[in-house]
């Protein structure tokens, strides 16, 4: 047995022809669906990138205990377990987060690994002088933006592109090892993650953008662009997806050329999707995890069960990716693994899960039964208590700083840490559950998630599923407290939130504030922070987020930044405007 996983980042299933799309040029995804089993009810779990990869290694949810970070010393790792069982494991990837502080323990679990530089502001090419700034539509133009402009100067030909080089390396591995047995190859492409940088040969499949600014890297914020600019971004994403489709076709060609199908499994998957204007948002992380972001494509070929060209309806999840790989090579999962092999689904469409949890650290905690989606918000606006549980205190691209660690406590082992105590550290949330509130959807009746359901009996059922999942995942006490749920015993009417927070959810959908309504908060944030009185007001009223905004968007006003968070409501902006006016500033 051999296995190949082809993984794309930020793959929105609604852009794929096997899932009903009729305008994206992706013939090799159609070809893939003819050679594999297509899953209709696959959900991601812990969000975003590295939390999802921790799930793939450990077959456990990450988001209830910690945010973005490395594998922990007590973690299982499927690639490492395969290697220990005599399976040769190799990864070829251009995903830059593997080489940052918060991802540095993942690729080294493979026996060998290759990395190709240049994606999304990867600190690759050094250039002291600022690169030319294009006429582009983007609010936040920080270091990633600048570095990406530098890197693009070295990616003028498709053969130079890190996606191309990643797939080249994967095919080289296949060519070199096609006669060998018991190997696992992971070909992991960062694309179609933003920025949507590709070449004219793929853009030709879509309407050419107008004479306006370049728009291939939307900020993670509310949509306020005219429809034609929204279409531009969607077409740029589709063009990059068409490039991914060609890469997929090259892998399928290699499998055909060497007749690998009888004894080689193939998994084509993603970590999550991406909002491209749906629900009035770009990107991910701020808003709840809507269907376009969390309901993911999955294609699997298992030569033991066949099923080419068939579809499966049963619920599966990211935590199941590791167990099916172990199953393929006859390696037993550990007792700590919550995921299950999808082999019964492949063979007979037999259920393996009643429900699936998903979410990001400190955000909504969500559950689906495959039809209904329940997004549980928080009971108090401060979203407390919230704690990281880790022995690897590392964020995406930096270590925890001393201020964060001064409150750290060494607490007893959690059920899955193999008797090892962990640090408990005050945490900061991904997302904004306070602004959005609790919401429930029926995807059969409302697949676009436009009409929240207010049904107390259904909500209680979904709360029971949520609690079952949280308890099975060994969620810490703090999660039950911030969500207002019982640690033990059944939920009751007192735990219902969807009806109580319905207005809260509707308020999050309200139109953006108009700049002419304000005076001081129309001033650039950097200019306000240079004035002592204004700076004191902003730090007092908005807290630590001010520092982040000052670094990433100093030339933007608070009115403009309201597009990034529903927390900057009309009421908050008016209050800040009044307080700044009292300071006599700006």
């Amino acid at each position: 047995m051999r296995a190949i996983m082809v993984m794309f980042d930020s793959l929105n299933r609604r852009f794929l022809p096997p899932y009903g799309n009729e305008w994206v040029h992706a013939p090799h995804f159609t070809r893939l669906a003819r050679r594999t089993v297509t899953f209709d009810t696959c959900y991601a779990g812990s969000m975003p990138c590295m939390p999802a990869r921790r799930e793939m290694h450990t077959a456990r949810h990450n988001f209830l205990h910690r945010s973005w970070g490395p594998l922990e010393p007590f973690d299982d790792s499927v690639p490492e377990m395969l290697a220990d069982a005599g399976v040769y494991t190799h990864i070829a990837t251009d995903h830059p987060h593997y080489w940052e502080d918060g991802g540095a323990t993942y690729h080294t679990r493979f026996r060998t690994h290759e990395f190709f530089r240049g994606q999304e502001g990867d600190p690759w090419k050094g250039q002291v002088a600022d690169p030319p700034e294009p006429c582009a539509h983007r609010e936040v133009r920080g270091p990633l933006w600048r570095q990406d402009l530098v890197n693009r100067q070295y990616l003028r030909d498709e053969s130079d592109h890190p996606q191309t080089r990643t797939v080249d390396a994967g095919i080289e591995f296949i060519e070199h090892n096609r006669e060998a047995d018991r190997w696992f190859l992971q070909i992991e492409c960062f694309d179609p993650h933003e920025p949507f940088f590709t070449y004219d040969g793929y853009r030709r499949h879509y309407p050419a953008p107008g004479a306006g600014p370049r728009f291939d890297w939307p900020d993670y914020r509310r949509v306020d662009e005219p429809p034609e600019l929204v279409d531009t971004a969607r077409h740029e994403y589709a063009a990059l997806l068409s490039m991914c489709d060609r890469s997929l076709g090259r892998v399928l060609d290699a499998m055909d050329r060497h007749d690998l199908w009888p004894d080689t499994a193939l998994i084509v998957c993603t970590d999550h999707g991406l909002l491209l204007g749906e629900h009035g948002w770009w990107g991910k992380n701020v808003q709840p995890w809507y269907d376009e972001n969390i309901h993911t494509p999955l294609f699997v070929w298992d030569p033991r069960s066949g099923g080419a060209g068939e579809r499966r309806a049963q619920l599966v999840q990211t935590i199941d990716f590791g167990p099916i790989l172990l199953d393929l090579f006859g390696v037993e999962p550990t007792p700590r693994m919550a995921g299950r092999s999808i082999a019964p689904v492949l063979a007979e469409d037999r259920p393996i899960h009643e429900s699936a949890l998903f979410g990001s650290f400190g955000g909504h905690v969500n559950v689906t039964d495959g039809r209904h989606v329940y997004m549980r918000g928080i009971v108090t606006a401060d979203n407390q208590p919230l704690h990281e549980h880790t022995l690897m205190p590392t964020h995406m691209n930096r270590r925890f700083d001393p201020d964060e660690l001064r409150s750290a406590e060494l607490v007893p082992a959690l059920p899955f840490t193999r008797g090892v105590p962990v640090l408990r550290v005050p945490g900061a949330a991904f997302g904004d559950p306070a602004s959005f509130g609790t919401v429930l959807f029926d995807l059969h009746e409302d697949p676009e998630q436009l009409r929240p359901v207010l049904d107390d009996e259904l909500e209680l059922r979904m709360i029971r599923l949520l609690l079952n999942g949280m308890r099975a995942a060994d969620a810490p006490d703090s999660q039950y407290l911030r969500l207002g749920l019982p640690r033990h015993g059944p939920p009751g009417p007192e735990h219902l939130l969807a009806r109580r927070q319905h207005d809260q959810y509707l308020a999050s959908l309200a139109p953006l504030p108009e700049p002419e309504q304000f005076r001081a908060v129309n001033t650039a944030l950097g200019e306000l922070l240079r004035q002592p009185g204004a700076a004191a007001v902003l730090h007092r009223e908005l807290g630590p987020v001010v520092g982040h905004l000052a670094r990433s968007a100093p030339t933007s006003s608070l009115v403009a930044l309201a597009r990034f968070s529903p927390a900057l409501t009309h009421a908050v902006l008016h209050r800040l405007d009044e307080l700044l006016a009292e300071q006599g500033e700006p």
Side-chain angles (χ1 to χ4, degrees):
M1 178 63 73
R2 296 165 291 203
I4 300 169
M5 175 182 282
V6 180
M7 183 176 172
F8 298 100
D9 196 300
S10 305
L11 193 58
N12 184 326
R13 72 196 290 273
R14 299 187 183 202
F15 277 65
L16 298 178
Y19 291 99
N21 186 282
E22 296 180 348
W23 62 272
V24 171
H25 181 80
H28 296 295
F29 274 97
T30 300
R31 174 185 171 196
L32 173 71
R34 291 196 297 264
R35 297 302 306 258
T36 63
V37 172
T38 301
F39 285 74
D40 288 323
T41 319
C42 179
Y43 276 77
S46 297
M47 295 288 97
C49 298
M50 298 323 290
R53 284 154 183 79
R54 189 179 178 210
E55 286 198 349
M56 294 178 193
H57 279 250
T58 66
R60 289 190 59 88
H61 289 306
N62 169 94
F63 76 98
L64 294 168
H65 300 90
R66 69 153 303 156
S67 59
W68 189 299
L71 285 170
E72 300 280 352
F74 46 76
D75 276 349
D76 301 308
S77 168
V78 165
E80 190 168 51
M81 292 170 65
L82 292 174
D84 290 344
V87 179
Y88 195 100
T89 58
H90 181 79
I91 184 172
T93 182
D94 60 348
H95 199 291
H97 296 314
Y98 279 121
W99 274 260
E100 295 172 333
D101 290 345
T105 56
Y106 291 89
H107 62 283
T108 47
R109 306 279 71 75
F110 291 80
R111 186 164 173 182
T112 46
H113 47 82
E114 294 179 90
F115 176 47
F116 300 94
R117 306 294 300 270
Q119 291 279 21
E120 198 208 17
D122 171 27
W124 176 35
K125 295 296 186 180
Q127 179 173 313
V128 176
D130 285 338
E133 276 270 349
C135 177
H137 184 78
R138 183 172 169 83
E139 190 82 31
V140 177
R141 302 192 179 200
L144 278 180
W145 169 265
R146 180 191 185 279
Q147 184 63 51
D148 187 70
L149 295 177
V150 173
N151 292 346
R152 290 193 193 197
Q153 299 172 119
Y154 296 86
L155 305 177
R156 297 191 182 279
D157 189 85
E158 186 176 346
S159 63
D160 301 323
H161 196 286
Q163 181 194 143
T164 303
R165 298 178 66 203
T166 294
V167 177
D168 286 346
I171 292 173
E172 178 187 42
F173 181 93
I174 294 170
E175 300 281 357
H176 190 70
N177 297 287
R178 64 184 185 273
E179 301 296 337
D181 192 22
R182 291 182 66 78
W183 49 256
F184 168 54
L185 167 66
Q186 185 164 324
I187 303 172
E188 183 175 337
C189 299
F190 188 65
D191 294 324
H193 191 290
E194 72 281 354
F196 312 137
F197 171 61
T198 187
Y199 301 92
D200 289 342
Y202 301 103
R203 290 197 183 94
R204 67 180 174 83
H205 298 293
Y206 309 98
R214 190 189 84 199
F215 193 24
D216 62 7
W217 195 351
D219 295 292
Y220 288 1
R221 59 166 178 78
R222 295 268 295 274
V223 175
D224 68 347
E225 291 81 5
E228 58 272 17
L229 200 52
V230 172
D231 286 344
T232 294
R234 291 171 67 84
H235 291 149
E236 294 284 8
Y237 175 87
L240 183 55
L241 178 51
S242 293
M243 183 178 176
C244 294
D245 180 77
R246 179 176 181 273
S247 292
L248 171 65
R250 295 172 62 206
V251 177
L252 298 179
D253 289 344
M255 293 190 69
D256 288 345
R257 186 165 58 248
H258 302 298
D259 192 26
L260 298 183
W261 298 98
D263 55 6
T264 305
L266 175 65
I267 301 172
V268 178
C269 61
T270 188
D271 50 358
H272 52 72
L274 191 74
L275 289 177
L276 290 149
E278 303 93 343
H279 307 283
W281 281 90
W282 298 111
K284 57 183 186 285
N285 295 344
V286 180
Q287 66 291 116
W289 290 94
Y290 288 112
D291 195 70
E292 292 84 354
N293 268 355
I294 205 72
H295 189 177
T296 54
L298 176 64
F299 306 87
V300 181
W301 167 249
D302 182 344
R304 302 172 303 177
S305 56
E310 298 177 2
R311 304 185 82 97
R312 299 292 182 263
Q314 294 299 327
L315 180 62
V316 299
Q317 203 172 14
T318 305
I319 56 172
D320 303 321
F321 294 177
I324 183 58
L325 287 170
L326 296 175
D327 189 345
L328 287 166
F329 292 101
V331 180
E332 289 295 317
T334 72
R336 293 169 292 280
M337 291 182 166
R340 299 176 183 177
S341 170
I342 62 175
V345 187
L346 284 163
E348 302 175 302
D349 209 11
R350 290 202 337 250
I352 59 173
H353 296 297
E354 181 183 21
S355 61
L357 289 182
F358 60 89
S360 49
F361 180 73
H364 289 78
V365 178
N366 314 273
V367 68
T368 182
D369 60 4
R371 170 175 177 171
H372 305 97
V373 173
Y374 182 55
M375 301 172 172
R376 178 77 181 196
I378 54 179
V379 291
T380 58
D382 64 1
N383 197 16
Q384 294 298 314
L386 181 63
H387 296 105
E388 302 259 12
H389 298 78
T390 181
L391 286 177
M392 301 286 285
T394 312
H395 297 298
M396 180 172 75
N397 50 19
R398 65 178 179 86
R399 299 164 294 172
F400 280 33
D401 62 44
D403 287 341
E404 292 176 279
L405 291 171
R406 286 192 183 96
S407 300
E409 306 170 84
L410 191 66
V411 299
L414 300 172
F416 58 91
T417 65
R418 306 200 219 184
V420 178
V422 296
L423 286 176
R424 186 171 66 190
V425 186
F430 271 73
D432 186 6
S435 294
F436 287 93
T438 297
V439 65
L440 172 63
F441 292 105
D442 181 339
L443 293 179
H444 285 194
E445 299 296 326
D446 178 26
E448 305 304 318
Q449 293 176 295
L450 301 176
R451 301 187 302 276
V453 174
L454 298 176
D455 181 327
D456 292 352
E457 184 177 348
L458 176 59
E459 185 181 1
L460 269 178
R461 174 179 171 271
M462 298 305 292
I463 291 174
R464 285 192 289 270
L465 292 177
L466 185 70
L467 286 171
N468 290 343
M470 290 176 64
R471 291 165 184 172
D474 305 305
D477 290 346
S478 55
Q479 290 286 359
Y480 298 93
L481 291 170
R482 77 180 190 91
L483 297 172
L485 292 173
R487 180 68 181 85
H488 304 283
E494 68 275 18
H495 299 115
L496 297 170
L497 276 187
R499 196 179 298 276
R500 284 165 46 193
Q501 296 185 345
H502 184 59
D503 288 344
Q504 201 169 316
Y505 180 74
L506 295 180
S508 73
L509 308 177
L512 288 163
E514 296 293 338
E516 55 268 20
Q517 300 175 23
F518 307 98
R519 185 182 54 159
V521 291
N522 279 327
T523 304
L525 181 60
E527 183 178 337
L528 288 175
L529 291 174
R530 285 192 292 272
Q531 302 164 18
V537 167
L538 294 176
H539 282 288
R540 184 181 73 241
E541 297 296 319
L542 298 179
V545 72
V546 171
H548 169 72
L549 293 174
R551 290 189 296 273
S552 60
T555 61
S556 298
S557 70
L558 287 169
V559 174
L561 293 172
R563 292 175 291 177
F564 290 78
S565 173
L568 288 172
T569 63
H570 291 70
V572 169
L573 290 171
H574 279 295
R575 172 172 168 76
L576 288 171
D577 217 39
E578 292 171 1
L579 291 172
L580 291 168
E582 290 173 5
Q583 297 292 325
E585 300 173 17

